[in-house]
Amino acid sequence: MKPPVPPAKRSIPFLALGGVWENDDVEAAENVLRAALRPDGNFFPLPEEAAFQSALAKHEGSAAAVVVNSCGTALDLCMLALDLKPGDEVIVPGLTFVCTAGAAVARGARVVFADVDPVTLCLSPAAVEAKITARTKAVIPVHFAGLACDIAGFDTLAQRHGVKIIYDAAHAVGTRYRGQGIGGAGLASCYSFQSNKNMTCLGEGGAVTTNDLVLAEKVRGLKTFGYVYGAQLRVTQIGFNYRMTKPQCAVGLTQLAKIDRVIAQRLERFVQMHALLEGVEEIIRPAGIEAGHGCHLYVARLDTDRLKCTRGEFLAQLKERWSVACAHHYPAVWTWEAFAGVDYDNRDTPVTQRAAQQVVSLPLFPSTTAEDVGYIAHAIKETVAAVKK
Ligand SMILES: Cc1ncc(COP(=O)(O)O)c(C=O)c1O
């Protein structure tokens, strides 16, 4: 029997807007830009903002949504709204983007890292509970890669200990938990519409969703200099300008209108990859690849003990020999040099420490073809065989 013909070489980059950014989005932005050319043109007021906010709240299942210019600023506003005092602690996962922890540090809290669940890689409510003290003010779980956290578990912690749960939902627009949107979970959720997320508002954007209308009002004020609009303009708190622009809000509407289709396409690619990697013992496949997963990232873990090589060596081979580019979500937050001078607690986080050395995000996007998925899986299997030789 002839050996199977290897697939023709392809180049697979990481980060593709294909299937996310389309002509209707360009038209939505262009309409706003062209309208501003008229003699009475202006980038204010923003009816698009109100429309985007109510569409987002509806889609994500929250009573209110406030759009801002990034998830980083959304988290910042939530930390501000908590009115943190010196000595207050905020519990976060270490396996996340730097700003999940940075938002708490920047507003004066001491960050306490709790471990992630070994199966889901989301923050573990049990690990959090072990670290709750009288100083704990809030917890920021991350819906990692688009998989919903154990929201019921965090609800229990909130009731039992009176801590506020603010979700980092940067990866999770469109994620479902027990069939429902995640936007009303906890006290608030912070979304990202930055360029490589499941939807984007011209490259940047974010939102806070909540069922707490008092918090929504506070965040709405803080994002716009503390203004309260009415017969007479008032400034009731010291705020900032964290607003999203008019063209971004217009694009948010077209992006949101197709998010379910985009996620369904992502899921198809994820499911295909999942099947192709089944039985490859050196690769730990992600959990929860099924309807409800937001499918932002397909984060596999390399079993580096079995492979007898580091992640860096594995990825270098994948890139050099097969032109497949992967990404790293994430190094443990406290390993960034900015944390060298920060007082934090990262005790009892073995799963995070190990996962941070093993995680590999595969280049799967709505525009990735079935052939691309087959090629990436083939490249991974060949690289596994090559490094074990
Ligand atoms: C988990 C997580 N939180 C927050 C952010 C920050 O999002 P933004 O760039 O919109 O500020 C990111 C960005 O990648 C992220 O991955």
Side-chain angles (χ1 to χ4, degrees):
M1 208 171 72
K2 281 194 204 160
V5 184
K9 182 136 189 218
R10 293 166 182 241
S11 180
I12 313 274
F14 198 87
L15 292 189
L17 273 174
V20 172
W21 183 249
E22 297 173 317
N23 277 327
D24 59 333
D25 307 304
V26 175
E27 277 158 26
E30 200 178 331
N31 288 342
V32 173
L33 299 179
R34 293 209 173 280
L37 286 172
R38 291 198 300 251
D40 63 344
N42 204 325
F43 288 116
F44 284 99
L46 280 81
E48 298 83 357
E49 182 186 72
F52 181 30
Q53 289 178 159
S54 68
L56 185 65
K58 184 157 179 245
H59 191 268
E60 295 302 308
S62 62
V66 181
V67 295
V68 291
N69 55 10
S70 76
C71 182
T73 51
L75 286 163
D76 187 35
L77 293 181
C78 289
M79 290 299 105
L80 265 175
L82 291 178
D83 197 17
L84 297 166
K85 301 277 184 299
D88 285 345
E89 292 182 346
V90 175
I91 303 181
V92 303
L95 192 69
T96 184
F97 187 65
V98 61
C99 82
T100 316
V105 173
R107 293 298 169 189
R110 177 166 186 264
V111 164
V112 174
F113 294 100
D115 216 355
V116 294
D117 179 273
V119 175
T120 65
L121 297 185
C122 290
L123 189 62
S124 150
V128 169
E129 188 159 36
K131 290 209 160 181
I132 288 180
T133 69
R135 293 181 299 278
T136 309
K137 200 76 187 260
V139 182
I140 314 180
V142 178
H143 300 296
F144 185 77
L147 178 64
C149 294
D150 178 358
I151 291 173
F154 288 112
D155 284 349
T156 304
L157 290 190
Q159 283 155 14
R160 205 180 276 161
H161 302 282
V163 294
K164 309 288 186 210
I165 312 291
I166 310 281
Y167 287 95
D168 180 333
H171 301 170
V173 60
T175 291
R176 295 284 177 264
Y177 175 76
R178 297 182 178 169
Q180 308 292 319
I182 48 98
L187 178 62
S189 300
C190 299
Y191 289 81
S192 174
F193 310 126
Q194 179 265 341
S195 187
N196 64 356
K197 299 300 188 295
N198 283 9
M199 61 173 267
T200 185
C201 294
L202 289 174
E204 298 289 356
V208 176
T209 62
T210 179
N211 284 342
D212 183 326
L213 298 182
V214 175
L215 177 79
E217 238 4 78
K218 182 150 186 83
V219 168
R220 212 184 296 286
L222 283 171
K223 82 163 194 186
T224 184
F225 302 118
Y227 283 177
V228 177
Y229 296 95
Q232 195 191 345
L233 179 67
R234 295 160 60 216
V235 177
T236 56
Q237 51 188 339
I238 302 299
F240 308 93
N241 181 351
Y242 284 173
R243 292 187 295 247
M244 196 184 266
T245 65
K246 190 176 173 90
Q248 286 181 294
C249 291
V251 163
L253 279 165
T254 50
Q255 287 277 293
L256 191 63
K258 61 185 158 208
I259 188 69
D260 295 336
R261 187 264 289 160
V262 166
I263 291 174
Q265 281 177 301
R266 285 180 181 268
L267 180 60
E268 215 174 285
R269 301 335 178 231
F270 281 29
V271 166
Q272 191 191 347
M273 178 60 77
H274 220 56
L276 290 170
L277 293 181
E278 189 177 354
V280 183
E281 289 180 344
E282 296 80 359
I283 308 287
I284 304 160
R285 297 175 303 159
I289 302 300
E290 59 192 21
H293 195 300
C295 294
H296 174 50
L297 296 167
Y298 187 98
V299 182
R301 273 175 280 173
L302 303 179
D303 188 333
T304 38
D305 294 339
R306 280 179 195 263
L307 284 169
K308 300 196 173 47
C309 74
T310 65
R311 183 198 31 223
E313 287 158 358
F314 188 91
L315 293 187
Q317 282 228 19
L318 204 54
K319 185 86 180 40
E320 278 154 31
R321 186 151 166 238
W322 297 94
S323 292
V324 171
C326 296
H328 179 192
H329 298 91
Y330 295 89
V333 169
W334 58 80
T335 59
W336 293 113
E337 63 195 83
F339 278 78
V342 169
D343 172 31
Y344 60 80
D345 164 11
N346 69 341
R347 286 168 299 155
D348 307 321
T349 53
V351 182
T352 303
Q353 308 214 14
R354 191 162 163 73
Q357 306 294 327
Q358 297 180 318
V359 280
V360 170
S361 305
L362 303 185
L364 299 182
F365 305 97
S367 58
T368 310
T369 63
E371 290 73 26
D372 289 337
V373 179
Y375 177 82
I376 298 164
H378 177 79
I380 289 171
K381 290 178 193 172
E382 289 288 314
T383 306
V384 165
V387 297
K388 286 184 76 174
K389 267 190 192 147

